């Protein structure tokens, strides 16, 4: 009888308690409705909503139903808000680490602030796992890190961005031991290049956040991939950085499809910053493409930078030191690298001790670079490197090198990555006008400041022409993806210059103008001729497909010679190219092409001149064009 009475009392208390909780929940929902929180930019950022397009419904970018409490949460912000508030009243049963307050601490914090929630009236799960995670990181400040694109590294492509989370204690004085917050495509196993490209473009990979020691990222980007790194200290408050990390916890196990060109590493970091400081609207303009340099520029325009630091890559540092040596010293250095008895020879021993120390250190660094680049676990040069280090240790003199100068133009301060061009020209004495549009990113004649000389990455570069006499509009070319890397060789570095081009290019065939789909690969070598000239020779292999071709697909091979001139104001390229097509009716094409790019005084504008002569099957064709270009 006593037990029955006790049970009834507990049930009555529970009913009363539930009624009280429901009453308070209804108050909170009513208050959120009155304040129109469901339409607040902060709430939309927490749900990763994108604004309506052409009158459609807003839609969350999260591709995981576990991210929502309401079945309509991915498209109805108000229902999701009410469902979230209700979930926070979930009784403390089962696995408490999965309690909604523990799984979504950023939402809980934001709603508590907006609605002034009396948290003592809600269940209070311990959230041990989340609290321990936050205690380990102890976030205090954040730095946006931008490893810029590297000329000869396909993996770097457009560059990359990540966040460095510095602790709120003395560890912040040593940034290398901070955590790096990185977002990347989760790729398991090895896949061929076409599958990799297809999945990357059309969202076949899930994206994932990862926290790793910052020094590991420095090693990866600066030492292994030879990418200069820019660090931008953000002026976020401690509360804002902690909210950013709370949201990182929320999305760390949620699937977001990864796209190379829009929902990529840089875009997803912008969405975190929008959560940290609601109302910034950083991610909103990047619905089509999110080029890392453009996103860094957007963060700067929101006045979020409080300091900038530059970390030159290993190759930048080595090249800087090589340039400080005269010809005789470079010869001595080369001997130290190639001859393990060079340190004993009289010519080397006649140098002063300080210079010998510098040469031995630099020789060791170059050997180490070559060993890393080889990828061999047991490189035979390792014993020679150890010998150089041993000889250096016997010299008391220090080997101090001047700091690598900071570039006058940062990676994000170059021209904007989208470009549109209007042109007037003549081909075979036929006048034409042309409209050209490229959403991204940079070609070899664009101003090189902030990008680097000899690199070219064009994506979806479309060239439309109109011939007024015939009232004819046609596609002249459409470069779906076009990459060219002309990296100069010298006695110390021997990179391969290479290029790949996939797209449609108009050409002559049997007297007709056709537009085949073609893919062209090229590889060769480049050398500097003075400071402003770069000469390259590459061998090309091309496959072109069109229904007018006898075999539908034809293959061509041939060499080309490129001579590039570059200065701060002028870029010019002379191209001589031959292509031999051995199939069917064997024939050859020759091309002589000269282009000149001049910047205009108005920012982000330029003029481009081109003159081209082609020979094919006994016929010659001339083409001239002048174009006005605008980068935006």
């Amino acid at each position: 009888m006593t037990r029955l009475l006790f049970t009834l009392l507990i049930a009555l208390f529970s009913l009363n308690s539930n009624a009280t909780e429901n009453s308070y929940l209804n108050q909170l929902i009513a208050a959120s409705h009155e304040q129109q929180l469901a339409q607040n930019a902060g709430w939309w950022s927490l749900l990763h909503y994108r604004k309506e397009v052409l009158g459609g419904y807003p839609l969350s970018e999260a591709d995981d139903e576990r991210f929502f409490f309401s079945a309509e949460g991915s498209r109805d912000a108000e229902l999701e808000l009410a469902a979230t508030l209700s979930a926070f009243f979930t009784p403390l049963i089962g696995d408490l680490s999965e309690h909604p307050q523990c799984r979504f601490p950023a939402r809980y914090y934001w709603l508590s602030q907006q609605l002034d929630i009396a948290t003592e009236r809600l269940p209070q799960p311990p959230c041990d796992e989340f609290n321990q995670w936050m205690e380990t990181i102890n976030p205090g400040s954040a730095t946006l890190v931008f490893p810029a694109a590297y000329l000869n590294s396909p993996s770097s492509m457009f560059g990359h961005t990540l966040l460095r989370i510095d602790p709120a204690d003395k560890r912040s004085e040593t940034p290398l031991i901070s955590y790096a917050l990185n977002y990347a495509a989760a790729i398991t196993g090895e896949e061929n290049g076409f599958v990799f490209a297809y999945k990357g473009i059309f969202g076949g990979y899930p994206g994932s956040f990862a926290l790793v020691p910052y020094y590991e990222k420095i090693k990866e980007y600066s030492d292994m991939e030879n990418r200069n790194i820019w660090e931008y200290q953000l002026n976020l408050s401690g509360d804002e950085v902690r909210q950013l990390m709370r949201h990182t916890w929320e999305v760390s196990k949620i699937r977001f499809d990864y796209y190379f060109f829009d929902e990529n590493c840089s875009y997803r970091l912008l969405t975190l910053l929008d959560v940290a400081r609601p109302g910034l609207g950083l991610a909103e303009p990047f619905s089509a493409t999110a080029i890392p340099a453009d996103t860094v520029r957007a963060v700067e325009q929101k006045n979020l930078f409080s300091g900038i630091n530059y970390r030159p890559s290993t190759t930048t540092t080595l090249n800087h030191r090589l340039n400080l040596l005269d010809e005789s010293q470079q010869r001595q250095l080369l001997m130290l690298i190639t001859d393990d008895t060079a340190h004993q020879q009289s010519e080397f021993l006649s140098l002063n001790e300080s210079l010998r120390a510098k040469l031995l250190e630099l020789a060791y660094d170059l050997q180490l670079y070559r060993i890393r680049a080889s990828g061999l676990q047991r490189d035979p040069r390792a014993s020679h490197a150890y010998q150089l280090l041993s000889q250096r240790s016997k010299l008391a003199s220090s080997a101090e090198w001047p700091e690598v100068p900071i570039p006058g133009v940062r990676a994000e301060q170059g021209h904007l990555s989208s470009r549109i061009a209007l042109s007037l020209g003549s081909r075979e004495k036929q006048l034409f006008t042309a409209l050209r549009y490229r959403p991204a990113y940079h070609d070899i004649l664009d101003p090189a400041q902030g990008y680097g000389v000899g690199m070219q990455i064009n994506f979806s570069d479309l060239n439309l022409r109109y011939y007024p006499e015939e009232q004819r509009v046609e596609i002249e070319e459409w470069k779906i993806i076009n990459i060219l890397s002309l990296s100069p060789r010298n006695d110390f570095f021997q990179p391969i210059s290479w290029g790949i081009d996939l797209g449609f290019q108009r050409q002559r065939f049997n007297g007709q103008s056709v537009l085949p789909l073609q893919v062209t690969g090229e590889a060769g070598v480049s050398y500097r001729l003075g400071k402003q000239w770069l000469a390259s020779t590459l061998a090309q292999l091309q496959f072109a497909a069109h229904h007018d071709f006898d075999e539908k697909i034809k293959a061509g091979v041939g060499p080309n010679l490129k001579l590039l001139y570059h200065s701060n104001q002028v870029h010019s390229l002379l191209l001589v190219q031959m292509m031999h097509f051995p199939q069917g009716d064997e024939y050859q094409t020759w091309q002589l092409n000269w282009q000149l790019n001049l910047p205009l005084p108005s920012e982000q504008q330029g003029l481009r001149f081109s003159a081209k002569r082609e020979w094919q099957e006994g016929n010659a064709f001339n083409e001239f064009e002048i174009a006005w270009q605008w980068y935006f």
Side-chain angles (χ1 to χ4, degrees):
M1 183 63 185
T2 303
R3 178 175 296 178
L4 176 61
L5 181 59
F6 180 76
T7 303
L8 288 173
L9 284 173
I10 291 293
L12 183 61
F13 176 79
S14 177
L15 286 172
N16 184 54
S17 175
N18 287 340
T20 303
E21 289 177 356
N22 287 338
S23 172
Y24 188 49
L25 171 61
N26 291 334
Q27 287 180 38
L28 293 176
I29 293 175
S32 69
H33 185 72
E34 184 178 346
Q35 295 181 35
Q36 297 185 334
L37 287 187
Q39 304 307 316
N40 188 290
W43 183 243
W44 277 38
S45 295
L46 285 165
L47 299 183
H48 291 258
Y49 272 24
R50 273 188 173 174
K51 279 192 173 181
E52 301 179 29
V53 177
L54 301 178
Y57 292 102
L59 188 65
S60 173
E61 295 163 344
D63 302 293
D64 194 329
E65 62 182 16
R66 295 174 301 166
F67 193 59
F68 307 101
F69 291 107
S70 167
E72 299 297 322
S74 64
R75 58 177 67 246
D76 192 320
E78 187 142 16
L79 282 179
E80 181 61 19
L81 196 154
T84 300
L85 285 171
S86 179
F88 288 157
F89 283 81
T90 300
L92 302 181
I93 54 176
D95 182 3
L96 295 186
S97 66
E98 291 298 317
H99 191 280
Q101 291 182 34
C102 303
R103 278 290 299 116
F104 293 91
R107 293 192 197 183
Y108 185 64
Y109 177 83
W110 188 81
L111 287 170
S112 296
Q113 297 293 308
Q114 301 299 315
L115 296 171
D116 194 20
I117 294 177
T119 55
E120 69 276 8
R121 300 182 65 177
L122 277 68
Q124 297 183 30
C127 300
D128 290 337
E129 188 179 350
F130 166 70
N131 289 330
Q132 185 177 356
W133 183 78
M134 284 288 279
E135 187 178 342
T136 301
I137 302 168
N138 191 18
S141 59
T143 296
L144 180 64
V145 181
F146 179 25
Y150 174 57
L151 181 64
N152 223 28
S153 173
S155 62
S156 75
M157 291 291 284
F158 304 112
H160 178 66
T161 54
L162 61 148
L163 286 174
R164 191 185 75 212
I165 306 299
D166 298 319
D169 52 38
K170 288 186 176 179
R171 291 177 296 168
S172 63
E173 297 172 2
T174 311
L176 289 180
I177 63 173
S178 298
Y179 282 99
L181 175 56
N182 191 55
Y183 180 76
I187 302 172
T188 56
E190 293 186 2
E191 292 178 315
N192 68 55
F194 287 104
V195 173
F196 175 75
Y198 177 83
K199 285 188 173 182
I201 292 172
F202 296 104
Y205 294 115
S208 67
F209 286 95
L211 271 174
V212 296
Y214 186 53
Y215 64 81
E216 289 188 8
K217 285 297 172 186
I218 293 290
K219 181 180 178 183
E220 176 184 347
Y221 293 126
S222 177
D223 297 347
M224 305 302 293
E225 297 186 2
N226 300 302
R227 298 160 69 172
N228 298 322
I229 295 175
W230 292 92
E231 299 170 333
Y232 307 91
Q233 180 71 42
L234 303 176
N235 58 18
L236 297 177
S237 68
D239 283 343
E240 290 171 332
V241 177
R242 284 189 288 277
Q243 177 69 346
L244 184 151
M245 294 309 295
R246 291 187 195 102
H247 188 60
T248 299
W249 173 265
E250 293 179 344
V251 297
S252 60
K253 298 177 183 177
I254 298 300
R255 174 172 176 130
F256 289 83
D257 291 337
Y258 191 97
Y259 297 84
F260 284 168
F261 297 112
D262 50 7
E263 294 184 39
N264 54 22
C265 59
S266 296
Y267 177 82
R268 198 56 63 202
L269 291 191
L270 294 183
T271 65
L272 293 184
L273 295 176
D274 281 339
V275 168
R277 186 177 291 179
L280 284 174
L282 281 168
E284 185 180 331
F286 295 97
S287 57
T289 59
I291 305 298
D294 293 340
T295 64
V296 172
R297 194 178 295 115
V299 176
E300 182 181 27
Q301 289 170 351
K302 295 292 183 179
N303 298 316
L304 285 174
F305 291 169
S306 59
I308 299 174
N309 184 48
Y310 173 65
R311 289 183 186 272
S313 70
T314 298
T315 51
T316 299
T317 302
L318 292 174
N319 276 312
H320 170 67
R321 293 176 179 177
L322 285 170
N323 290 333
L324 294 174
L325 302 179
D326 61 30
E327 190 174 336
S328 170
Q329 293 165 346
Q330 288 195 7
R331 189 175 64 254
Q332 281 291 326
L333 178 65
L334 193 59
M335 290 182 64
L336 284 172
I337 294 172
T338 57
D339 183 353
D340 56 7
T341 65
H343 65 280
Q344 300 171 336
Q345 297 175 9
S346 58
E347 188 176 359
F348 178 74
L349 294 173
S350 66
L351 302 174
N352 66 63
E353 186 176 291
S354 175
L355 180 55
R356 279 186 283 147
K358 280 187 174 182
L359 293 179
L360 284 167
E361 277 193 15
L362 189 50
Y364 170 76
D365 290 340
L366 284 163
Q367 281 291 49
L368 199 60
Y369 169 82
R370 292 180 175 187
I371 291 171
R372 284 174 177 161
S374 72
L376 298 174
Q377 288 191 345
R378 292 188 175 183
D379 194 300
R381 290 170 291 195
S383 61
H384 186 197
Y386 175 77
Q387 182 193 57
L388 291 168
L389 197 59
S390 175
Q391 293 301 317
R392 168 64 185 94
S393 67
K394 296 175 182 176
L395 302 178
S397 296
S398 62
E400 295 182 1
W401 295 90
E403 291 289 329
V404 176
I406 298 174
V409 178
R410 300 195 302 270
E412 82 282 6
Q413 290 180 319
H415 66 78
L416 301 179
S417 58
S418 296
R419 185 185 70 189
I420 193 166
L422 297 174
S423 66
L424 178 65
S426 168
R427 178 176 174 83
E428 300 176 55
K429 298 182 180 179
Q430 279 189 306
L431 292 177
F432 65 83
T433 58
L435 171 65
R436 189 160 193 158
Y437 170 65
R438 180 196 68 190
Y441 159 71
H442 173 81
D443 78 29
I444 201 168
L445 290 176
D446 287 332
Q449 294 94 334
Y451 288 86
V453 174
M455 68 170 288
Q456 173 170 292
I457 303 175
N458 288 311
F459 168 66
S460 196
D461 188 1
L462 176 64
N463 185 358
L464 289 174
R465 282 186 179 179
Y466 173 64
Y467 291 88
E469 290 185 9
E470 302 177 357
Q471 296 187 341
R472 170 166 54 94
V473 177
E474 65 182 21
I475 296 174
E476 178 62 21
E477 63 179 342
W478 180 29
K479 294 181 179 297
I480 298 172
I481 185 73
N482 168 257
I483 304 173
L484 181 62
S485 170
L486 303 180
S487 192
R489 298 164 72 91
N490 55 35
D491 290 334
F492 302 96
F493 299 99
Q494 287 85 42
I496 298 294
S497 293
W498 60 277
I500 184 75
D501 180 83
L502 171 66
F504 297 86
Q505 173 71 56
R506 190 161 294 281
Q507 59 179 254
R508 283 275 176 180
F509 181 76
N510 286 340
Q512 301 295 318
S513 174
V514 297
L515 187 67
L517 172 65
Q518 62 186 42
V519 57
T520 306
E522 56 184 330
V525 295
S526 300
Y527 291 93
R528 287 208 171 280
L529 305 176
K531 290 186 177 180
Q532 295 181 311
W533 292 91
L534 184 65
S536 307
T537 178
L538 293 88
Q540 286 187 312
L541 174 62
Q542 181 183 95
F543 295 95
H546 193 275
H547 56 79
D548 284 348
F549 295 161
D550 296 335
E551 292 83 10
K552 307 304 179 190
I553 298 177
K554 65 176 184 176
V557 295
N560 68 50
L561 174 66
K562 298 180 175 75
L563 185 60
L564 176 68
Y565 173 82
H566 58 91
S567 70
N568 288 338
Q569 298 298 319
V570 178
H571 288 71
S572 172
L573 178 67
L574 179 65
L575 168 69
V576 182
Q577 176 175 287
M578 188 278 282
M579 190 69 77
H580 177 72
F581 296 93
Q583 294 171 288
D585 296 331
E586 184 175 330
Y587 68 99
Q588 295 177 346
T589 63
W590 288 79
Q591 183 183 124
L592 176 63
N593 191 350
W594 174 74
Q595 296 181 74
L596 175 69
N597 196 83
L598 298 172
L600 289 174
S602 301
E603 192 176 3
Q604 305 292 344
Q605 296 184 48
L607 287 178
R608 182 165 298 189
F609 305 90
S610 68
K612 183 165 63 177
R613 183 170 178 82
E614 298 177 42
W615 295 267
Q616 180 178 333
E617 300 176 278
N619 296 311
F621 312 96
N622 296 321
E623 181 177 303
F624 305 93
E625 187 174 10
I626 178 172
W628 165 81
Q629 301 181 134
W630 176 48
Y631 304 92
F632 63 99

